[in-house]
Amino acid sequence: MNIYTRNGDRGTTSLMNGISVSKSDDRIELVGTIDELNSFIGLAKVLADSSLKESLAHIQRNLMQIMAGVADPRNMDYRFSTDETKALEEEIDRIENSFPRIKDFVLYGGCELSARLDVARSVTRRAERRFRKVEQNYGADAKAIQYINRLSDYLYMCARYADYRVENEKVDGIQDQVVRNILKDM
């Protein structure tokens, strides 16, 4: 079986349930945005430590389930659970309580990992806006929308924590160098 079908040459594609729709259909736009989000999360995974990498991989699998649910909304196997959203909330709380978070506006790009996470977060916000449009026009899984909303908060906290860690490593590195210089001069 070839990867190409030539159906897209006419500007249409099929949902998982076999319905042919325009490539500009809101559902296709949403699936494409979530796919883009999944790619950006993969880009952040490259720089993540093992714990964050595992969490991001889990999120990627959840996003694939959400895409399947958008493409085949009547298939109950793709319905989303509130358990995943609750797990994200617990992680957000854990991360937020693990460092003194700056409450002011943040300039993104404190480090490469946080910059990648912030791009993923902004794409998550776009996915949420597109999800609302699909919900209005076709109906949508409310629990999946809630998960996407919480995901942007999770990615934000991960990015801020990455910035915090890099900044503290710089401070610790400077302090270590100062101590070494003092000891050397003794």
Side-chain angles (χ1 to χ4, degrees), residues 2-47:
N2 294 337
I3 191 168
Y4 55 88
T5 63
R6 295 191 174 103
N7 290 338
D9 297 347
R10 295 184 306 272
T12 62
T13 191
S14 293
L15 297 172
M16 286 177 60
N17 57 11
I19 296 173
S20 182
V21 297
S22 168
K23 286 190 173 189
S24 64
D25 186 278
D26 292 335
R27 294 164 292 187
I28 301 304
E29 287 289 335
L30 174 57
V31 168
T33 301
I34 295 172
D35 185 42
E36 180 183 354
L37 167 59
N38 211 336
S39 296
F40 277 115
I41 288 174
L43 192 61
K45 246 176 35 179
V46 171
L47 298 176

Side-chain angles (χ1 to χ4, degrees), residues 130-161:
R130 295 198 180 199
F131 227 142
R132 292 295 177 186
K133 195 169 183 182
V134 167
E135 178 186 41
Q136 291 170 350
N137 295 329
Y138 303 100
D141 183 351
K143 292 174 185 167
I145 295 172
Q146 185 181 39
Y147 180 82
I148 293 290
N149 179 269
R150 215 63 84 249
L151 178 57
S152 63
D153 297 331
Y154 173 76
L155 293 170
Y156 178 83
M157 288 308 304
C158 288
R160 302 296 64 81
Y161 184 68

Side-chain angles (χ1 to χ4, degrees), residues 77-120:
D77 292 337
Y78 301 134
R79 289 292 169 164
F80 217 70
S81 164
T82 57
D83 295 343
E84 292 293 338
T85 303
K86 287 178 186 174
L88 272 183
E89 289 171 347
E90 289 170 7
E91 269 302 289
I92 292 166
D93 293 342
R94 185 190 67 74
I95 295 167
E96 188 168 21
N97 292 324
S98 69
F99 72 106
R101 180 172 67 91
I102 297 171
K103 308 277 189 205
D104 296 331
F105 287 105
V106 174
L107 290 178
Y108 306 126
C111 69
E112 189 173 355
L113 176 59
S114 73
R116 290 178 185 207
L117 289 165
D118 279 320
V119 170

